[in-house]
Amino acid sequence: MAGGQITIKETGERFLQSHVDGSILRAALRAGIGFPYECSSGGCGSCRFKPVEGDFSDLSLDPGGLSERDKRKGFRLACQSSAVGDVTISVTTRREFEPKHRFNRFAARLTALRDLTPDMREFTFVGPKAAMFLPGQYAILEGPANQTRCYSMSNLPNDQGNWQFIIKRVVTGEFSNWLFGLEIGEALTIDGPVGLAHIVEASQRDVICIAGGSGLAPIISIARALASDPAHAAKQIHIFYGGRTPADLCGEGHLNEFPCWGERLRFHSVVSDQAAADAAGWTGETGFVHESVIRQFGEKVKDHEIYFAGPPPMATALQSALMLEMKVPFEQIHFDRFF
Ligand SMILES: Cc1cc2nc3c(=O)[nH]c(=O)nc-3n(C[C@H](O)[C@H](O)[C@H](O)COP(=O)(O)OP(=O)(O)OC[C@H]3O[C@@H](n4cnc5c(N)ncnc54)[C@H](O)[C@@H]3O)c2cc1C
């Protein structure tokens, strides 16, 4: 039976993993521990730890986040491992990873659906309590057969308990196809919030938000917060959204009702498939979304707080363009890779 008491060798911190926690990482975050992590999906490798004592079970067979060297050295990923009885592990915890809001698991009911493009749909769920999260964070959704996937919230924290997501249907995707089959009134379990690529309240810099494909949701949430909170009223906000074809573009309709729309809140849509752009008579920007950002801002990109989200290839291209080529300081860049 999965679960047990987990002790961190370095600090002596102890926490329990119950059978509903799913993974050691989720149990640690629920206990308020500053366990290092990023994607909670096995892809990034940030939550790797070294077993010291006890038995562990695998939640997935070969998570991409562990290199061959890590595997040889016996490392495991906390998001893909479960304790089997009491265990001791070795990992460096840090304050910055401690959850800012209580990490809660609760049943939520689907109350609204809205199609945004042929394969992107907005889902609204209502939970039993106020929805407390930081714009840019994500939640872990549970489906049939103990399957879980991460989805970012697109709305703002609210007292009504609404959790909104923008989800792309992946052609052969198991979980996204299951979600697209849900009907109004049906329920699922949400565990959250989690995620470190959230809005930085203290920054005074203007903001560039960049999303590709399914990465729209956290960017919309961050833009909504920046556009509506008087504390950010002096900031210019540029949203870049990249889709393959003009039919894949959406998002403007979520933001164009803010009074600052077109003044300090600007939306730039970019199409990457030139042939599709020509066929649709698209007269806007074409190319990859990161190229468009650099074309527009050049050296000035360094003066901005930058948020981005989307598929790993887009994230890699942006990391390379921003960090290596443009030398944007790391602490101004906040991103989630959608493994
Ligand atoms: C931090 C984060 C935020 C995200 N936010 C969004 C969002 O806002 N909108 C959006 O559309 N997508 C988002 N995603 C992607 C999303 O989580 C799914 O990967 C996507 O919906 C495809 O899932 P699928 O099951 O349909 O596809 P599949 O191809 O069936 O699965 C996708 C991936 O899930 C992994 N996987 C397979 N089985 C399991 C399992 N049993 N347990 C855990 N993982 C497994 C595999 O690595 C596989 O590559 C986000 C991902 C991350 C990491």
Side-chain angles (χ1 to χ4, degrees):
M1 172 92 165
Q5 178 169 266
I6 295 150
T7 305
I8 298 179
K9 189 182 111 187
E10 284 77 358
T11 57
E13 287 163 294
R14 289 204 161 101
F15 57 98
L16 281 177
Q17 184 195 344
S18 81
H19 68 283
V20 294
D21 280 321
S23 69
I24 291 176
L25 178 64
R26 282 165 74 182
L29 295 177
R30 206 177 313 287
I33 305 243
F35 208 105
Y37 77 103
E38 180 197 314
C39 76
S40 312
S41 303
C44 72
S46 305
C47 65
R48 58 176 214 165
F49 71 90
K50 194 86 177 271
V52 176
E53 205 170 38
D55 294 325
F56 301 84
S57 64
D58 294 316
L59 302 177
S60 67
L61 283 183
D62 194 13
L66 272 184
S67 66
E68 286 308 315
R69 192 158 174 265
D70 286 341
K71 285 186 230 166
R72 274 199 308 277
K73 289 187 152 188
F75 281 102
R76 285 183 154 272
L77 294 182
C79 71
Q80 300 301 319
S81 300
S82 187
V84 183
D86 295 348
V87 300
T88 302
I89 65 175
S90 170
V91 66
T92 305
T93 54
R94 281 206 253 138
R95 258 251 146 100
E96 70 207 67
F97 295 115
E98 285 173 10
K100 310 280 185 301
H101 283 295
R102 214 181 148 75
F103 182 50
N104 269 327
R105 187 171 177 274
F106 56 90
R109 195 168 40 81
L110 182 61
T111 55
L113 290 170
R114 180 156 69 116
D115 283 333
L116 305 179
T117 71
D119 61 3
M120 300 257 280
R121 183 174 285 179
E122 182 183 82
F123 293 72
T124 308
F125 293 91
V126 66
K129 290 187 184 157
M132 299 306 293
F133 56 86
L134 297 169
Q137 285 196 297
Y138 64 92
I140 299 170
L141 271 52
E142 297 182 11
N146 295 327
Q147 291 252 21
T148 58
R149 294 289 188 278
C150 301
Y151 294 99
S152 309
M153 281 69 79
S154 57
N155 59 338
L156 291 176
N158 59 88
D159 289 338
Q160 296 73 39
N162 288 324
W163 296 74
Q164 220 162 49
F165 304 95
I166 297 175
I167 297 177
K168 187 179 173 77
R169 182 179 207 151
V170 175
V171 180
T172 54
E174 223 178 308
F175 204 94
S176 57
N177 277 287
W178 173 75
L179 284 170
F180 271 67
L182 286 181
E183 291 181 7
I184 302 289
E186 288 194 82
L188 52 61
T189 300
I190 295 181
D191 208 5
V194 268
L196 305 165
H198 51 72
I199 198 162
V200 181
E201 292 292 350
S203 167
Q204 297 303 314
R205 293 184 190 87
D206 290 338
V207 176
I208 302 174
C209 291
I210 311 156
S214 57
L216 189 64
I219 293 307
I220 292 289
S221 180
I222 289 170
R224 281 173 156 159
L226 293 168
S228 61
D229 184 344
H232 300 291
K235 290 179 188 162
Q236 297 289 320
I237 312 154
H238 289 270
I239 317 294
F240 285 78
Y241 183 55
R244 197 178 62 77
T245 75
D248 297 324
L249 299 174
C250 58
E252 293 195 39
H254 287 76
L255 300 173
N256 61 12
E257 283 180 0
F258 285 102
C260 59
W261 175 257
E263 291 173 14
R264 62 182 190 91
L265 173 61
R266 294 190 182 79
F267 200 99
H268 313 264
S269 298
V270 189
V271 171
S272 62
D273 184 333
Q274 185 68 55
D278 293 343
W282 171 254
T283 53
E285 284 254 348
T286 54
F288 288 120
V289 69
H290 67 280
E291 296 165 347
S292 179
V293 173
I294 305 297
R295 234 185 344 260
Q296 180 140 342
F297 288 94
E299 285 291 314
K300 289 204 166 58
V301 76
K302 280 209 280 285
D303 304 333
H304 293 77
E305 205 71 37
I306 303 175
Y307 300 90
F308 62 86
M314 181 202 94
T316 305
L318 265 165
Q319 278 175 283
S320 157
L322 297 174
M323 295 177 182
L324 302 179
E325 284 166 42
M326 305 310 293
K327 308 272 185 280
V328 181
F330 288 7
E331 58 277 13
Q332 282 168 231
I333 303 178
H334 319 273
F335 62 91
D336 266 330
R337 294 172 287 175
F338 286 8
F339 292 102

